C-alpha cells in the first residue's frame, strides 16, 4: 500500500510537471503536436502500404497457384491411363509426386479425390517429406461442397492456416479433372505462403524502422525550427521584464530582417521612445522644482514685509474698531499658511 501511494504521488507530480511545461512552453506544444500528427501519419501510411503489399503478394501467389493448378489438371487429363484402378493410382501418384518435385512454389500437398465418393476409388495424394500434410478431409466442409459444385474448367480457392509449429498461412485451389475411363475427380493443390509471409514481415519491420526514424527526424526538425522562432521571443520577453524593472538601457539584439527582426526593432524603438519620455519627464520635474524654488524665494521678501505689518497690527488690535479686528484675523491666518507653505 505504501509503495502504491509513492507510485501514485510520483505519477501525479510527473503529470503536473508535464501539464505545466505544456502550458508554459510554446516549443513543447508545437513539438508534441508534431509528434502526434507525424506518428498518426506514419501509422496510416504504414498500414496502407503494408496492406497493399500483402494484397499484392497474395494476388501474385494466387495467380501463380491457379495457373499451376490449371497446368496440372491439363497434364493429368492428357497422361492418365485407363487400364484399371491399380494402374490409375500408380500412374497418377507418380505424376503428382513429379509435379510436387518440380514445382517452383512450396506445396504442402497435391491430391485427387473422386467426386463420386461412393465409388471404390480411393483418394490419391502426394505429400511432402518432413512437413505436416494437408489432406482434403481436413479442409472445411463448406469449401469441399463448393469444390463439388464447381463446373469443369473452373476453380475455387480458400485461404487456410497450415498445420505445424509456425502455423504458416496457405492457400488451397480446387479444380475438376476428368480422367479417361475413371470419371471426375477434384484436384486440390495446397500451397505454402510462408515465404510471402516472411517477405511481408521483413517489409513491415523495414517500414517500422523507417517510420521511427522519420518521426525522430521530424520531431528534431520541429524542435530546431521552433527553437529558432521561440528563442528571439524569449529574449524579447526577458528584455521587456528588465525594462519594466527600470533598466531603461535594455535593448534586444537584432540579427535578422524577417518578422522576428521586425519584432526586435519595434521593441527597441518602443524602449527608445519610453526612455526619451521618462528623461523628458525628469527634466520637467527638475524645471518644476526650480520654478517653485524661484517663486518661493521671490515671495519670501514681500511675505516677510506683510508678516511684519500684520504683527504690528495684531499687537495694536485692541485699538482697532470691531471691523478692523475682524479683518485682521483672516489676514494673520493667510500669512501663517503661506509662510508654512514656502518654508
Amino acid at each position: 500500500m505504501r509503495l502504491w501511494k509513492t507510485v501514485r504521488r510520483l505519477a501525479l507530480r510527473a503529470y503536473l510537471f508535464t501539464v505545466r511545461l505544456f502550458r508554459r512552453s510554446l516549443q513543447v506544444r508545437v513539438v508534441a503536436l508534431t509528434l502526434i500528427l507525424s506518428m498518426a501519419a506514419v501509422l496510416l501510411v504504414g498500414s496502407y502500404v503494408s496492406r497493399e503489399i500483402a494484397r499484392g503478394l497474395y494476388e501474385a501467389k494466387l495467380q501463380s497457384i491457379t495457373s499451376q493448378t490449371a497446368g496440372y489438371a491439363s497434364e493429368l487429363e492428357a497422361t492418365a491411363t485407363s487400364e484399371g484402378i491399380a494402374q490409375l493410382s500408380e500412374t497418377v501418384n507418380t505424376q503428382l509426386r513429379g509435379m510436387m518435385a518440380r514445382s517452383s512454389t512450396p506445396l504442402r500437398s497435391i491430391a485427387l479425390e473422386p467426386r463420386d465418393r461412393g465409388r471404390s476409388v480411393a483418394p490419391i495424394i502426394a505429400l511432402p517429406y518432413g512437413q505436416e500434410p494437408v489432406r482434403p478431409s481436413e479442409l472445411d466442409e463448406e469449401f469441399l461442397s463448393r469444390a463439388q459444385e464447381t463446373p469443369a474448367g473452373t476453380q475455387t480457392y480458400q485461404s487456410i492456416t497450415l498445420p505445424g509449429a509456425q502455423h504458416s498461412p496457405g492457400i488451397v485451389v480446387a479444380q475438376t479433372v476428368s480422367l479417361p475411363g475413371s470419371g471426375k475427380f477434384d484436384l486440390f493443390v495446397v500451397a505454402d505462403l510462408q515465404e510471402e509471409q516472411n517477405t511481408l514481415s521483413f517489409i513491415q519491420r523495414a517500414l517500422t524502422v523507417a517510420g521511427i526514424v522519420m518521426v525522430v527526424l521530424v520531431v528534431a526538425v520541429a524542435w530546431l525550427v521552433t527553437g529558432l522562432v521561440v528563442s528571439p521571443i524569449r529574449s524579447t520577453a526577458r528584455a521587456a521584464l528588465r525594462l519594466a524593472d527600470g533598466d531603461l538601457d535594455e535593448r534586444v539584439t537584432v540579427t535578422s530582417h524577417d518578422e522576428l527582426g521586425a519584432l526586435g526593432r519595434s521593441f527597441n524603438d518602443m524602449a527608445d521612445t519610453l526612455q526619451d519620455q521618462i528623461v523628458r519627464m525628469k527634466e520637467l520635474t527638475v524645471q518644476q522644482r526650480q520654478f517653485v524654488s524661484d517663486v518661493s524665494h521671490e515671495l519670501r521678501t514681500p511675505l516677510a514685509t506683510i508678516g511684519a505689518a500684520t504683527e504690528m497690527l495684531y499687537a495694536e488690535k485692541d485699538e482697532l474698531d470691531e471691523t478692523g479686528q475682524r479683518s485682521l484675523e483672516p489676514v494673520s491666518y493667510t500669512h501663517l499658511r503661506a509662510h508654512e507653505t514656502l518654508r
Side-chain angles (χ1 to χ4, degrees):
M1 181 63 70
R2 186 174 181 181
L3 178 61
W4 172 245
K5 290 182 178 179
T6 303
V7 172
R8 288 184 59 185
R9 185 169 61 253
L10 293 176
L12 180 60
R13 289 181 180 178
Y15 171 75
L16 294 177
F17 174 77
T18 303
V19 172
R20 186 164 55 250
L21 183 64
F22 190 82
R23 289 180 176 177
R24 293 183 177 181
S25 176
L26 174 63
Q27 188 174 15
V28 171
R29 290 200 299 272
V30 172
V31 171
L33 182 60
T34 303
L35 175 62
I36 294 173
L37 293 179
S38 59
M39 288 180 61
V42 167
L43 286 176
L44 291 176
V45 173
S47 299
Y48 174 77
V49 172
S50 178
R51 186 171 60 252
E52 290 299 312
I53 292 175
R55 185 172 63 85
L57 291 173
Y58 180 81
E59 290 180 353
K61 190 71 170 183
L62 177 61
Q63 184 178 1
S64 175
I65 294 301
T66 53
S67 300
Q68 217 169 313
T69 303
Y72 292 163
S74 299
E75 184 177 345
L76 288 171
E77 291 176 348
T79 60
T81 180
S82 58
E83 296 178 358
I85 298 300
Q87 291 80 1
L88 173 67
S89 299
E90 183 178 352
T91 302
V92 172
N93 191 28
T94 303
Q95 284 182 294
L96 295 182
R97 292 188 178 277
M99 294 173 184
M100 179 170 288
R102 66 175 184 269
S103 174
S104 59
T105 301
L107 300 179
R108 280 297 184 93
S109 66
I110 303 178
L112 270 177
E113 187 170 278
R115 181 160 284 193
D116 185 5
R117 300 185 181 182
R119 297 178 57 189
S120 59
V121 180
I124 306 170
I125 183 170
L127 303 175
Y129 178 76
Q131 292 181 325
E132 293 189 36
V134 178
R135 304 177 185 276
S137 58
E138 299 172 354
L139 299 175
D140 293 340
E141 289 295 332
E142 181 182 354
F143 177 73
L144 293 176
S145 299
R146 194 165 70 245
Q148 287 276 335
E149 298 171 358
T150 301
T154 59
Q155 297 177 340
T156 185
Y157 63 90
Q158 184 183 42
S159 298
I160 61 173
T161 300
L162 300 178
Q166 291 184 335
H167 298 288
S168 303
I171 185 171
V172 54
V173 179
Q175 180 175 342
T176 301
V177 177
S178 297
L179 300 184
S182 301
K184 291 184 178 182
F185 289 75
D186 289 324
L187 174 64
F188 295 95
V189 178
V190 181
D192 192 340
L193 301 182
Q194 186 59 44
E195 291 184 359
E196 285 70 18
Q197 181 62 46
N198 294 338
T199 302
L200 180 61
S201 300
F202 173 78
I203 294 175
Q204 289 175 341
R205 288 194 298 269
L207 289 175
T208 301
V209 174
I212 294 174
V213 172
M214 182 176 297
V215 170
V216 171
L217 290 178
V218 169
V219 170
V221 171
W223 181 267
L224 293 176
V225 172
T226 52
L228 293 176
V229 176
V230 172
S231 180
I233 297 177
R234 288 176 179 170
S235 177
T236 304
R238 288 193 295 266
L241 290 176
R242 288 192 289 267
L243 184 65
D245 290 337
D247 187 3
L248 299 178
D249 295 327
E250 182 66 28
R251 296 294 184 273
V252 176
T253 302
V254 180
T255 59
S256 62
H257 299 280
D258 53 10
E259 289 81 0
L260 295 176
L263 174 63
R265 288 190 293 272
S266 299
F267 176 85
N268 292 337
D269 294 340
M270 180 195 69
D272 293 337
T273 303
L274 181 62
Q275 187 176 24
D276 292 341
Q277 293 293 333
I278 293 176
V279 169
R280 290 180 60 187
M281 291 180 62
K282 288 182 178 180
E283 292 177 353
L284 290 175
T285 302
V286 172
Q287 293 177 2
Q288 182 181 7
R289 289 178 180 176
Q290 185 64 36
F291 174 76
V292 173
S293 178
D294 294 342
V295 170
S296 299
H297 179 73
E298 295 296 332
L299 291 178
R300 280 192 179 94
T301 299
L303 284 176
T305 303
I306 295 173
T310 303
E311 290 177 358
M312 291 178 61
L313 292 173
Y314 194 79
E316 298 176 358
K317 67 177 181 178
D318 294 336
E319 299 178 2
L320 299 175
D321 55 11
E322 184 177 355
T323 303
Q325 291 179 359
R326 284 197 304 268
S327 302
L328 184 61
E329 290 295 334
V331 173
S332 300
Y333 178 76
T334 303
H335 173 263
L336 180 61
R337 292 296 304 273
H339 182 70
E340 290 178 354
T341 302
L342 295 175
R343 187 166 52 188

